[in-house]
Amino acid sequence: MDDSSRILNKTTTGTRPIVANPIRRLHLDIRGAVQGVGFRPFLYRLASELRLSGWVSNTSQGVIVEVEGPAAAVERFVQRVQDEKPVHSIIRHLEGNEIPAQGAAGFEIRASLDGGVKSALMLPDLGTCRACLAEVFDLRNRRYLYPFTNCTHCGPRFSIIESLPYDRPNTSMKIFPMCPRCREEYENPRDRRFHAQPNACPECGPRVEWRDAEGRALSTRHEALLAAAAAIREGRIVAVKGLGGFHLMADARDAAAVARLRERKHREEKPFALLFPSLASLREECEVADIEESLLLSPESPIVLLRRNDRPLSAHPVCREAAPGNPYLGAMLPYTPLHHMLLGELGFPVIATSGNLSDEPICTDEHEALQRLAGIADGFLVHNRPIVRHVDDSIVRVIAGREMILRRARGYAPLPIESPDPVQPTLAVGAHLKNAIALGAGINIFISQHIGDLETPQAYGAFLEVIGNFQRVYETTPASVACDLHPDYLSTHYAEQTGLPVQRVQHHYAHVLSCMAEHRLHGPVLGVSWDGTGYGLDGTIWGGEFLRATREGFTRFAHLRSFPLPSGEKAIQEPRRTALGLLYE
């Protein structure tokens, strides 16, 4: 018996087979990433095609739908929902119950239902789709050169959602009332913008503005974008408000401009991310394999680490200062209409590094940016669509023919990992460096966007904000908290101050457990955690561990030989102290 038959044989009173009737009505509960992806209009079109009556509605858990009609058509509906679901949707749970037929005619999309446990999956922000991009550069289209064009297949999601279910009043777009033409698209189930919550146009939606270093507004709309492009072309540093925060942009070919950016941002050698106008321009600088190309062009649009060509093909190559002494470049392609327009106007690659000082979270608000980025940016390209939460660019590298996510943020967060067993509400607060938090409830472990190193008050503030945000959105109160074993981490201090039961986990064991969860391994496994340092069970600093691990515990199978570390953590900043310890040993 296939899945659809199993679903159709469920009843409200048990699982006994139902005697076939000419007309049947089925109530379906569908959960997963089924909001913000065009799922309801898909169900509307499918039900209409099969001539089924009923209704569909969003809930705080996902989507519920009732369909009524000939038994064979109802069965086809269930099967096609699973086979033909929208490309960005994820069905984690689909359960059906037989209910009495009502004889109603027509299929309708009802208002969302709010209530119950918040378990619907928030979708990540998605790169601009081809249809929207074509409209942006179509002279005859009303969205010509409009930098906030989107539909149900693309655009902001996670960065604008304030609460669930995913409806416009629960997003930062609520401050932009739709004009009649946008409202018509939004309410038409056969339009690809049906219930596209960020839907807008030049008449009713957000707009960009160009400001000088002192914050004075100089121009708006497309003239603002042209002014920003001119500033970058002249060698100046421009702060650009994008999807999940600000970028600092400069001409990647201009060694002097890049050097100024390094000096102002206090980032001496660490490679900068680059944004290229097209795949063709990127191939002039880097080797791009097929899997790397698919990542660059994907809706996730991450930064991909690519090996530089030994001899760049472009007449004006990316300067060495962009990634000093590094054979790789971290490169991405435009993923919003704003970025497509700006890079199309420039025609050359730009540095696109996070809009912050080192060790601080990225700026998300234009007023905050004027303060925190003062002295770094020579001008600001901003917009008035509020960013609810900061979201960095994700970083991916291809290893052994497979993608490995090095920084999980835009395009990937906050999709959860599914637990094989239901878990009690638990908050995991992460480590001190490269921090991210997780919230487990039921079978879902929701993983936050990359937060960063908890080295500054601003970073710790972002850490607290993300924790509060996750608990509010999912209306989940943790019953316990997990933290690193290190007693001096700020995240550990936070865990201890919650008053909840605390589970301390050794740093490298946590890495192995995370890999087990990601790849659904039950163990025992041999976990090799080559991750610098972590506080050990014996009170020493561990690093380079071979652990025989299960979900319940681990054995330290092998490790690097220990040696004294003069002055402890200070040796990290002064490697000569490490050398002295090694020589002594």
Side-chain angles (χ1 to χ4, degrees), residues 43-44 47-48 52-56 65-67 77 105-109:
L43 295 176
Y44 176 92
S48 299
L52 298 173
S53 61
W55 55 268
V56 61
V65 57
E66 290 188 9
V67 286
F77 178 88
F107 191 91
E108 63 177 330
I109 298 175

Side-chain angles (χ1 to χ4, degrees), residues 165-177:
Y166 177 51
D167 288 320
R168 194 176 181 106
N170 296 333
T171 74
S172 62
M173 284 297 295
K174 63 188 176 186
I175 63 175
F176 300 102

Side-chain angles (χ1 to χ4, degrees), residues 30 39-47 56 63 65 77 81 107:
I30 308 174
F39 209 89
R40 288 177 298 168
F42 158 69
L43 295 176
Y44 176 92
R45 290 189 292 269
L46 182 57
V56 61
V63 165
V65 57
F77 178 88
V81 166
F107 191 91

Side-chain angles (χ1 to χ4, degrees), residues 396-439:
V396 174
R397 182 176 184 179
V398 174
I399 297 178
R402 295 179 59 187
E403 67 175 288
M404 177 179 287
I405 301 174
L406 304 181
R407 186 168 78 186
R408 190 178 186 272
R410 178 183 51 76
Y412 298 94
L415 289 178
I417 288 176
E418 189 172 351
S419 171
D421 304 303
V423 298
Q424 293 297 316
T426 303
L427 173 67
V429 295
H432 188 70
L433 302 178
K434 308 294 184 288
N435 181 273
I437 65 104
L439 183 64

Side-chain angles (χ1 to χ4, degrees), residues 9-20:
N9 281 347
K10 289 192 176 183
T11 72
T12 53
T13 58
T15 55
R16 59 182 175 79
I18 297 170
V19 178

Side-chain angles (χ1 to χ4, degrees), residues 86-223:
V87 64
H88 298 307
S89 65
I90 301 170
I91 295 178
R92 286 277 179 85
H93 168 93
L94 193 158
E95 183 174 335
N97 288 304
E98 193 90 14
I99 59 177
Q102 298 178 5
F107 191 91
E108 63 177 330
I109 298 175
R110 293 185 175 177
S112 296
L113 302 174
D114 195 2
V117 177
K118 307 277 187 177
S119 59
L121 302 189
M122 284 193 289
L123 207 68
D125 301 309
L126 300 172
T128 307
C129 70
R130 292 183 178 181
C132 283
L133 193 58
E135 290 178 344
V136 170
F137 292 106
D138 182 356
L139 276 165
R140 300 163 296 179
N141 195 281
R142 72 189 186 96
R143 291 187 172 89
Y144 175 62
L145 297 181
Y146 183 58
F148 303 98
T149 300
N150 66 85
C151 68
T152 52
H153 306 305
C154 67
R157 301 289 191 275
F158 183 50
S159 61
I160 65 169
I161 294 174
E162 296 175 342
S163 62
L164 294 172
Y166 177 51
D167 288 320
R168 194 176 181 106
N170 296 333
T171 74
S172 62
M173 284 297 295
K174 63 188 176 186
I175 63 175
F176 300 102
M178 281 181 280
C179 67
R181 296 179 72 180
C182 284
R183 173 63 64 180
E184 183 180 352
E185 296 169 332
Y186 183 84
E187 295 177 349
N188 181 1
R190 299 190 180 279
D191 194 290
R192 81 173 197 278
R193 291 193 168 93
F194 174 76
H195 279 225
Q197 306 305 341
N199 190 33
C201 73
E203 182 179 337
C204 63
R207 62 186 63 178
V208 294
E209 190 174 68
W210 171 247
R211 298 183 181 181
D212 63 16
E214 285 70 43
R216 292 185 292 263
L218 303 179
S219 56
T220 61
R221 299 184 182 270
H222 193 56
E223 290 73 21

Side-chain angles (χ1 to χ4, degrees), residues 1 15 34 37 66 118 136 186 194 204 247 262 265 275 293 316 348 357 451 475 477 537 539:
M1 183 183 293
T15 55
V34 291
V37 291
E66 290 188 9
K118 307 277 187 177
V136 170
Y186 183 84
F194 174 76
C204 63
H247 281 125
R262 286 197 176 281
K265 193 175 175 178
L275 181 62
E293 176 181 333
H316 301 284
F348 55 77
L357 280 171
I451 298 172
E475 294 184 358
T477 301
L537 298 181

